[in-house]
Amino acid sequence: MNHHDLALIGFGGVNRALAEIIRDRGDALADELGFTLRVVAITDLRLGSLVQQDGIDLHHVLTLPVGATFAGLPGGEAVPQNEDVIRACGADIVVEATFTNPVDGEPAVSHVRAALASGKSVTTTNKGPVALAAAALNRLAAENGVRFEYEGSVMSGTPVLRLAKETMKGLRISRVQGVLNGTSNFVLGRMEAGLPLADAVAEAQALGFAEADPTADIEGSDVQLKVVILANELFGAGLGVDDVERRGIDGIRPEEVARAAAEGRRWKLVGTVARDDAGRISASVEPLLLDADHPLFGISGATNAVAITSDLLGTVTMSGPGAGREETAYALLSDIIAIDARQRARAEVVR
């Protein structure tokens, strides 16, 4: 049976949820998937660094009291040493789940680069390194015989990238449209019910859908990064963030939302990538007024969805959760499964 040692970079909600899955379902997953998982390193801004090559007691670290650090544990330090831990620990897969920096992708880009350069595969849910540096990081992964996987960077645990790239091979995709930000979608829905924008945002924050600073959601920059990823992964476009035109929902007035609802239409913040007959790629993020027959019309609340239009299938729509700690942790697990499958396939070729 195969075995993988993991290093968790960041120990917030998502990586904690992954640790809980491994703790609670590890034996069942091993039986189902044919490999075992063990966490040998964790780094976190609040907790510090912990390296235990024989495996970390996940129950213990998951139940540390508030305010505790790793300093009192064998192999623990109060200050995180992310890149040093990444290079030196015995993990073969690094799980990067730190915050997204939309400007330069740091420190996540450096975390991923350090892991790949030291011969470790990487899975991440972080949009920054994928949108801003995926091409270079994938080259580095190939040079070192490892994998860089990032299914969760667009729709959390809903597998849009793998669906389009693997299951839909042989199709010529002409357009991808998506409701890719649950916060903005929830806010528009509450505005449709009569709330002003500010009140709808406050409700989203109270329910945990929106961050304390909702700017990236409301102004569309979160979707902009996801559109870059879709354009480059599904169309090979080679786009940067500045190539994607962006408008958020902050300019939509309540009366516009009410008028649209009275007409049987609905505002959605939509990310679009399209290829014309000449092969030119365009990409945008903007509020669109959708008719009831549009495949994204009925996507409500914090749900995400993509509609993929191709030559042989027409439009295929996939919807699912675009956030959530367990849902996003599943995206990381799905990447680990993909890494294991690639390793097995390479081993069979060598034989």
Side-chain angles (χ1 to χ4, degrees):
M1 181 177 287
N2 274 11
H3 173 78
H4 298 290
D5 281 341
L6 309 180
L8 309 184
I9 310 304
F11 203 53
V14 174
N15 263 348
R16 287 181 71 88
L18 179 64
E20 290 167 0
I21 292 170
I22 295 169
R23 179 194 64 186
D24 299 339
R25 299 180 56 187
D27 291 341
L29 287 172
D31 291 341
E32 178 182 351
L33 302 174
F35 60 82
T36 58
L37 294 173
R38 179 174 63 179
V39 176
V40 298
I42 302 173
T43 70
D44 183 76
L45 281 173
R46 180 176 59 85
L47 294 167
S49 297
L50 179 63
V51 179
Q52 296 179 354
Q53 303 292 8
D54 293 331
I56 292 170
D57 181 340
L58 293 179
H59 179 74
H60 182 69
V61 297
L62 285 166
T63 55
L64 285 172
V66 175
T69 72
F70 292 144
L73 302 178
E77 298 182 41
V79 179
Q81 306 291 333
N82 291 3
E83 291 183 45
D84 290 342
V85 168
I86 288 168
R87 293 189 184 95
C89 75
D92 61 293
I93 300 176
V94 171
V95 184
E96 212 289 340
T98 63
F99 67 94
T100 292
N101 179 340
V103 178
D104 59 10
E106 294 295 353
V109 170
S110 292
H111 296 161
V112 176
R113 186 182 296 116
L116 298 175
S118 60
K120 298 172 173 64
S121 292
V122 176
T123 168
T124 188
T125 59
N126 194 316
K127 297 178 289 292
V130 186
L132 303 176
L137 293 172
N138 274 309
R139 284 194 299 271
L140 183 60
E143 290 167 3
N144 287 278
V146 293
R147 300 291 305 176
F148 178 36
E149 299 285 345
Y150 35 84
E151 179 60 66
S153 63
V154 176
M155 278 178 59
S156 183
T158 305
V160 60
L161 295 179
R162 234 168 246 127
L163 171 77
K165 293 172 68 176
E166 298 181 9
T167 308
M168 300 180 75
K169 283 181 178 177
L171 298 173
R172 179 174 173 80
I173 296 174
S174 57
R175 186 177 67 178
V176 175
Q177 286 192 305
V179 171
L180 300 172
N181 182 270
T183 298
S184 62
N185 199 49
F186 175 86
V187 167
L188 286 171
R190 298 303 292 145
M191 290 176 69
E192 193 172 298
L195 269 68
L197 174 65
D199 291 350
V201 170
E203 185 175 322
Q205 290 170 321
L207 292 170
F209 295 147
E211 301 289 342
D213 180 0
T215 303
D217 301 318
I218 302 306
E219 295 186 358
S221 58
D222 173 73
V223 179
Q224 188 178 34
L225 291 175
K226 294 174 180 179
V227 166
V228 170
I229 295 169
L230 289 170
N232 294 341
E233 292 296 313
L234 306 189
F235 293 83
L239 298 187
V241 174
D242 292 340
D243 298 314
V244 179
E245 297 181 14
R246 172 174 61 88
R247 286 192 299 118
I249 66 170
D250 47 317
I252 298 180
R253 300 187 305 276
E255 54 267 29
E256 293 179 285
V257 177
R259 184 167 58 250
E263 296 171 351
R265 297 193 290 173
R266 184 168 285 162
W267 284 99
K268 297 289 181 185
L269 182 64
V270 178
T272 301
V273 186
R275 175 164 43 203
D276 65 19
D277 292 339
R280 293 184 293 262
I281 305 295
S282 60
S284 63
V285 178
E286 59 183 334
L288 295 180
L289 190 53
L290 305 183
D291 293 321
D293 60 353
H294 193 284
L296 301 178
F297 177 87
I299 304 304
S300 60
T303 302
N304 283 190
V306 290
I308 302 173
T309 302
S310 66
D311 54 349
L312 302 180
L313 279 184
T315 299
V316 174
T317 304
M318 169 181 277
S319 67
R325 59 191 299 275
E326 290 185 346
E327 295 86 348
T328 310
Y330 172 72
L332 295 170
L333 179 61
S334 75
D335 282 346
I336 293 168
I337 294 168
I339 290 167
D340 179 81
R342 300 285 180 141
Q343 289 182 356
R344 290 172 187 261
R346 188 168 62 237
E348 287 296 323
V349 171
V350 171
R351 290 198 195 102

